[in-house]
Amino acid sequence: MELFLQQIINGLTVGAVYALIALGYTMVYGILELINFAHGEIYMLGAYLGIIVLGFLTVIGLTAMSLPLAIFITIILAGAICAAYGMTMEKVAYKPLRDAPKLAPLISAMGVSIFLQNYVMLTQGATDKVFPNIIPKASVNFLGADVTYIQIFIMASSVILMAGLHFFIMKTKMGKAMRATALDKKMAGLLGINVNSIISMTFMIGSFLAAVAGVMVAMYYGLVNFSIGYLAGMKAFTAAVLGGIGNVPGAMLGGVLLGVLESLGAGYLWPEYKDAFAFIVLVLILIIRPQGLLGARVPDKV
Amino acid sequence: MMASKYIKTILIALWFGLLAIPFAGFTKAVMIAGAVLAGVVVVNILKSLRNNSTGIRSAGKVDDFINNVMRGRNRYAVIAVTLALLVVFPFVTNRYALDLATQAGIYIVLALGLNIVVGQTGLLVFGYVAFYAVGAYTYAILSTAHGFNFWVVLPIAAFFAGIFGIMLGAPALRLRGDYLAIVTLGFGEITRIVLNNWDSLTGGPNGISGVARPSIGPLVFSSLNHFYYLVLILVIITIIVVSRLNDSRVGRAWIAIREDEVAAEAMGVNTFLFKMLSFGLGAVVAGLAGVFYVAKMGFVSPESFNFFESVIILCMVVLGGMGSIPGVVFGSLALYLMPEALRDFQQFRMLIFGGSLVAVMVFRPQGFIGTRRTGIELSHKEAENL
């Protein structure tokens, strides 16, 4: 029972991270119908920025003054820089291709992905980077399972961010404009919505969330490598598809479900096939229910 | 007007420099900003040159040139000269170039196979490398564990890869567009993970070594020269088969599906059957390429079949020009040889590679040599024959 609970908690932690990254995929797909393959790299950039920014804050003495404040600033700064990267990526690699054949932006995304990986490898080195060991390792006991502070932190901040995003999309004017753009770009443009800035905004929000996920993962595992973006990106994408791509609550649900499934599968069945679970889930869900758990079936346009 | 353009250029460079600071540090960020400035200036100059020349676009010139060469009377002459050059190639070059050429040949075959599925039928496939892996492992296992001969394995591997393709295709082909791409990606990754973990059959991450060389009677294909010719023959056969298919009834059905699946179905094309055929044939070609690959290397491991490999092959198809055979051949050569040509830049080569993928797509999204098929009307003679 304790083991089961422990696996569930580990799964929820990883799932929260998947969900945060998945939101970026699903929002971009909802608006542009583009699988942004470079999104995983933004998450990787975020993880690196977590280490870089926290290192900088330590040098100027802020970390010694107040650790929570330093972590807060790290997350905000890393998120902001990644948002800038995401926006730039859209302007350079996707915007010129909006009317191009469908495969072109996909190839372009692959190019961005390869570029960013090598950019980080060249500037930060090919070896693993270590996250400074400053976060207390203590944990609380929950019905016999250990829950570390970092795990609580990850789950809590994910919930806050997702709630914030949901509020933003459903209640604000900008969110309404985003929903309108997702429904029909042309019509939204005719009604006075600046579609280009909405698309930039979408990329920025998605990149911000991915960066936060990256910083938190860097804290959680303590190690970062330039190649982590691909697998995390694929799993997050699976989560987005699982929940119904283009559907924001679906991405959250999909992420958490996938994290728990993976954790239970690796814990009880075959640990060596841990990474295959995500893909098996992906294939099964697409074949059985391609619209995802929460997605609505879209009829083919003739 | 001009002044604002200069300011904009400088602002772009500054922005990229700013972005680079956290990762690259201040001095390198300044260098990056300088590089971006130079790049934007060059692009601007090229653009203004293009606009000034009286309406003639360089892209159109390329198309015309290709068409003149490939479709005109000189077509056979071009083919004959190319073939002659390819045949004498091993005598005038060194081992390194020969090795590159052989590997490039395998990539051409793979890209042509994927082109059947992606370029001609319009089915987006991301896990193509899985079929390549099935072919490669079939030969490696049958050769090391059961002593099968290369020529016997060739049809067996093609059969296995085809069956594998059909097995994956049957459930996956009900999906469209991006979804199909993702399912095939999933299959590709699962295949690689299984190869990596099924130690008793595949040797796990260590792979299988000591795979026998192909032989006909006493003649053993062991040197690079032999493989070069072997692969050259495979490439030629593939090109002939693919271009014959392209002009056949099947090819037309594929193109109909690519252009508009619903319309094709309404016109009586059995879309499911033709999609399966396309998928299966693509898989067979990849399987054959896999056998040749293992025969050349004498060794196989799951590392050769990662997602990146699928991406590269897909890029070869798209970059060269989807659906166009000369385009795909050109794309494969360009993409395979480019990182090699950039060897002097060592660690920068993949960076440049990624950047150029973006650049090519942004400036020429239809690929280097786009297909002319779209929009071609039937000639009178063809119309009468129908």
Side-chain angles (χ1 to χ4, degrees), chain A residues 238-239 241-242 257-258 261-262 276-287, chain B residues 190:
Chain A
T238 306
V241 173
L242 181 62
L257 264 183
L258 184 70
L261 272 177
E262 198 179 270
F277 276 110
F279 296 108
I280 294 171
V281 169
L282 177 71
V283 169
L284 286 181
I285 194 85
L286 279 179
I287 290 170
Chain B
I190 293 170

Side-chain angles (χ1 to χ4, degrees), chain A residues 29 37 85 88 97 103 106 108 111 114-115 118-119 122 124 230 237 245 272-273 282 286-287 300, chain B residues 15 19-20 23 124 126 174-176 178-179 182-183 189 197 307-308 322 347-348 350-351 354 358 361:
Chain A
Y29 192 90
F37 261 103
Y85 267 94
T88 312
L97 293 173
L103 266 174
L106 220 52
S108 186
I114 295 171
F115 182 89
N118 284 277
Y119 165 68
L122 286 175
Q124 295 290 313
Y230 163 65
F237 180 77
I245 192 148
E272 68 270 30
Y273 283 98
L282 177 71
L286 279 179
I287 290 170
D300 293 317
Chain B
W15 173 251
L19 279 182
F23 288 97
L124 198 45
F126 271 178
R174 296 187 300 134
L175 304 165
R176 288 196 182 168
D178 298 338
Y179 285 111
I182 301 307
V183 167
E189 283 297 288
N197 286 302
F307 175 62
F308 187 69
M322 282 209 297
Q347 69 268 48
F348 290 109
M350 288 318 284
L351 192 79
V358 178
M361 281 299 112

Side-chain angles (χ1 to χ4, degrees), chain B residues 68-289:
Chain B
N68 282 340
V69 172
M70 290 316 291
R71 298 196 194 284
R73 246 173 295 158
N74 11 15
R75 184 180 176 180
Y76 294 103
V78 171
I79 291 176
V81 171
T82 317
L83 259 183
L85 284 178
L86 285 172
V87 169
V88 299
F89 183 69
F91 299 105
V92 296
T93 183
N94 55 10
R95 283 184 61 84
Y96 172 65
L98 200 58
D99 187 53
L100 281 187
T102 314
Q103 193 57 43
I106 293 178
Y107 274 108
I108 292 177
V109 173
L110 280 171
L112 284 171
L114 185 62
N115 184 44
I116 299 177
V117 189
V118 178
Q120 297 192 312
T121 325
L123 303 168
L124 198 45
V125 169
F126 271 178
Y128 191 61
V129 94
F131 308 132
Y132 184 38
V134 169
Y137 270 91
T138 307
Y139 179 47
I141 292 166
L142 287 182
S143 157
T144 53
H146 307 285
F148 274 55
N149 185 310
F150 175 83
W151 305 102
V152 181
V153 176
L154 219 45
I156 300 178
F159 176 76
F160 274 164
I163 289 291
F164 193 66
I166 287 171
M167 265 164 41
L168 300 197
L173 283 178
R174 296 187 300 134
L175 304 165
R176 288 196 182 168
D178 298 338
Y179 285 111
L180 177 66
I182 301 307
V183 167
T184 54
L185 189 158
F187 276 130
E189 283 297 288
I190 293 170
T191 309
R192 189 179 57 83
I193 295 171
V194 168
L195 288 177
N196 216 354
N197 286 302
W198 195 352
D199 289 359
S200 56
L201 186 71
T202 65
N206 297 329
I208 300 171
S209 51
V211 181
R213 304 291 188 189
S215 57
I216 307 175
L219 172 67
V220 180
F221 292 81
S222 54
S223 81
L224 218 48
N225 275 1
H226 296 153
F227 277 107
Y228 172 79
Y229 286 116
L230 211 57
V231 171
L232 183 62
I233 293 169
L234 179 71
V235 171
I236 293 170
I237 292 176
T238 314
I239 290 179
I240 293 173
V241 169
V242 170
S243 56
R244 294 298 294 159
L245 268 174
N246 200 2
D247 296 332
S248 72
R249 208 183 151 79
V250 178
R252 280 166 192 276
W254 284 340
I255 289 161
I257 292 172
R258 179 186 73 194
E259 296 301 323
D260 190 333
E261 199 176 327
V262 179
E265 194 154 15
M267 300 310 277
V269 176
N270 186 340
T271 53
F272 185 73
L273 189 77
F274 280 109
K275 285 203 288 188
M276 286 291 263
L277 190 62
S278 159
F279 217 72
L281 267 176
V284 165
V285 173
L288 290 176

Side-chain angles (χ1 to χ4, degrees), chain A residues 1-22:
Chain A
M1 189 58 205
E2 274 101 71
L3 180 66
F4 179 74
L5 201 65
Q6 189 70 57
Q7 296 290 3
I8 293 274
I9 286 166
N10 294 348
L12 282 176
T13 314
V14 182
V17 171
Y18 290 160
L20 283 181
I21 311 173

Side-chain angles (χ1 to χ4, degrees), chain B residues 115 118-120 246 258 317 321-328 369-371 373:
Chain B
N115 184 44
V118 178
Q120 297 192 312
N246 200 2
R258 179 186 73 194
V317 174
M322 282 209 297
S324 139
I325 292 168
V328 171
I369 307 171
T371 174
R373 191 75 180 242

Side-chain angles (χ1 to χ4, degrees), chain B residues 21 24-33:
Chain B
I21 286 177
F26 190 72
T27 22
K28 274 189 197 158
V30 172
M31 283 157 66
I32 291 173

